[in-house]
Amino acid sequence: MVKFPAIFVARRNLSRNRFRSILAGLGILIAVVAIAALGIFGNVLSLGAADALGDIGNEVVVTPNADEGYEEISQRQVQSIERVTDDVTVAPIKTQRGLVTRGTASTASQLFGIEDPAAIYEAAEGRLPDRHTQGAILGSSVAEQLEAGEGNVVTIEETTYRVIAVLEPVESFGPLSADDAVLLPESAVGGSGYEQVVLRGGEAGATSGAAEAVRGELNAREERIDVFELSEITDEIDEFFSLLQSFLLGIGSISLVIAGVSILNVMLMSTVERREEIGVMRAVGVKKGEVLRMMLIEAGLLGLVGAVGGVVVSILLAAGLYLGTTVGLDILLDPTNLFYLALAFTFGIAVSLLSGLYPAWKAASERPVDALRD
């Protein structure tokens, strides 16, 4: 403190009226907590939604255009889709509803007729064939309901199938989610055409290009198919959460403005109470800039203490969110959450300095003669 007399004097001045200084620092603490906690809360919601959606943004669903009277996608159209798409997996799927039974247990499930399940799914039990010609592959939920596994026998619409594999549970939702479905050979599902063709790519850009190519190929003369890019859903969800986050940060900023007014009041009161003291300092040769710096340091110390306290409380609240909810630790520890802590900390100090700027300028601009005369 001896090496930094301005800091020593600023701390001494704040300790003169500790209760008032504590209230001002507490206002900054609450404001920092409001910004950091609300920002992290909104970001956790956004990250959680993105995690739940999984990779559906990299999928495109092609369906027949029912408005124009088309009820299925033909094998020839599937071949056209495969011809015009690169670097994406093309999965034509036949679908129908059916009752799946094992012993006394039964469940109504979606039946997928698919030729190459290994290109899309992963097995928790058994092995997925490259060409599905026999046997049934159970989704995780169906297998759990029927208490069935590899090697068991199930009955589907009076036809008996041996279970050759059970799929890994899917943590996200989308047109390819098969937790509540049973995968059968294409020939086991009625109809000569397909109800949907799903395109899956490694990146959203790849499927967007494939979607445009499919539209150009199959809808050149008439609208025979509908092409829906699931990235449109993720874009709208991202936009919603961005708006929500801005709204939450706006609410937190109101608290910061109130805290700034509190510091402004503290510094103005301090300037009035120490008017004679500041006049003496100016009379004995203390420069205007030194007085200005001393007053700003006082405001900065209030902001620093409040901001540090606010960050600590925000971290504790985030820990409570993890312990009291189902939020994953990986989401809570995402580096983007640190941005809101840093943002709130920076704003807390910045608002404190701005609030102390006018009182500091007022104190430094006081004429020594006028201050001593009063």
Side-chain angles (χ1 to χ4, degrees):
M1 288 297 180
V2 176
K3 294 182 179 180
F4 304 99
I7 296 179
F8 174 77
V9 173
R11 191 186 70 169
R12 184 203 64 184
N13 292 334
L14 290 175
S15 64
R16 286 179 174 179
N17 195 327
R18 293 184 180 179
F19 184 71
R20 193 164 59 196
S21 299
I22 289 173
L23 288 179
L26 186 60
I28 288 293
L29 184 150
I30 294 173
V32 169
V33 170
I35 291 180
L38 291 176
I40 291 174
F41 175 70
N43 194 49
V44 165
L45 287 177
S46 179
L47 293 173
D51 185 62
L53 291 173
D55 295 328
I56 69 167
N58 298 336
E59 296 174 2
V60 173
V61 181
V62 182
T63 56
N65 188 351
D67 293 337
E68 297 294 331
Y70 294 96
E71 298 181 353
E72 62 182 22
I73 298 175
S74 66
Q75 179 64 43
R76 183 176 179 180
Q77 289 174 320
V78 171
Q79 293 173 350
S80 297
I81 293 173
E82 292 174 337
R83 187 177 64 254
V84 299
T85 54
D86 297 320
D87 301 325
V88 297
T89 299
V90 179
I93 300 175
K94 295 180 178 181
T95 61
Q96 69 179 53
R97 296 289 296 180
L99 185 66
V100 186
T101 305
R102 178 175 179 258
T104 58
S106 63
T107 180
S109 301
Q110 192 78 15
L111 307 179
F112 287 175
I114 184 169
E115 181 179 7
D116 185 11
I120 303 173
Y121 301 104
E122 294 182 2
E125 295 181 30
R127 186 183 68 85
L128 297 180
D130 295 331
R131 185 175 178 81
H132 193 188
T133 58
Q134 60 182 357
I137 302 170
L138 304 184
S140 58
S141 296
V142 176
E144 183 178 353
Q145 292 176 35
L146 299 179
E147 298 183 355
E150 180 189 8
N152 293 137
V153 174
V154 297
T155 301
I156 304 175
E157 300 297 321
E158 300 182 354
T159 301
T160 300
Y161 297 90
R162 182 171 296 279
V163 178
I164 61 174
V166 176
L167 298 178
E168 285 277 5
V170 180
E171 296 182 356
S172 62
F173 67 89
L176 295 183
S177 178
D179 288 347
D180 297 313
V182 177
L183 276 58
L184 298 175
E186 281 190 8
S187 58
V189 180
S192 58
Y194 303 92
E195 282 71 31
Q196 64 179 349
V197 178
V198 179
L199 312 181
R200 171 179 284 182
E203 299 178 357
T207 52
S208 295
E212 290 300 321
V214 171
R215 287 191 186 96
E217 177 70 17
L218 298 184
N219 288 344
R221 296 183 178 179
E222 55 181 325
E223 299 290 326
R224 294 181 291 180
I225 51 107
D226 289 323
V227 180
F228 179 61
E229 299 179 57
L230 273 74
S231 60
E232 296 176 2
I233 295 179
T234 58
D235 290 343
E236 290 183 5
I237 291 176
D238 289 342
E239 184 177 349
F240 167 76
F241 279 110
S242 295
L243 181 62
L244 175 64
Q245 212 154 15
S246 299
F247 176 73
L248 293 176
L249 288 175
I251 294 176
S253 299
I254 295 174
S255 301
L256 199 56
V257 171
I258 295 173
V261 172
S262 175
I263 289 183
L264 176 62
N265 179 61
V266 168
M267 297 304 298
L268 282 174
M269 291 293 293
S270 178
T271 300
V272 172
E273 292 172 356
R274 292 157 49 203
R275 191 166 183 237
E276 290 186 9
E277 176 187 334
I278 294 172
V280 171
M281 293 172 61
R282 294 284 283 119
V284 298
V286 176
K287 296 180 180 179
K288 181 178 178 179
E290 293 175 346
V291 175
L292 180 66
R293 182 168 59 252
M294 180 188 68
M295 298 293 291
L296 284 178
I297 289 175
E298 289 183 31
L301 283 177
L302 282 175
L304 179 62
V305 173
V308 170
V311 168
V312 172
V313 172
S314 298
I315 292 174
L316 293 176
L317 289 177
L321 182 67
Y322 169 68
L323 295 175
T325 66
T326 58
V327 174
L329 187 61
D330 56 330
I331 292 179
L332 198 61
L333 296 180
D334 191 276
T336 54
N337 287 325
L338 295 177
F339 166 77
Y340 295 99
L341 288 175
L343 179 68
F345 179 83
T346 303
F347 273 17
I349 295 179
V351 167
S352 300
L353 291 174
L354 288 174
S355 299
L357 188 60
Y358 172 71
W361 172 83
K362 183 175 177 18
S365 301
E366 189 78 43
R367 293 178 58 191
V369 174
D370 295 336
L372 293 174
R373 182 183 302 155
D374 294 340

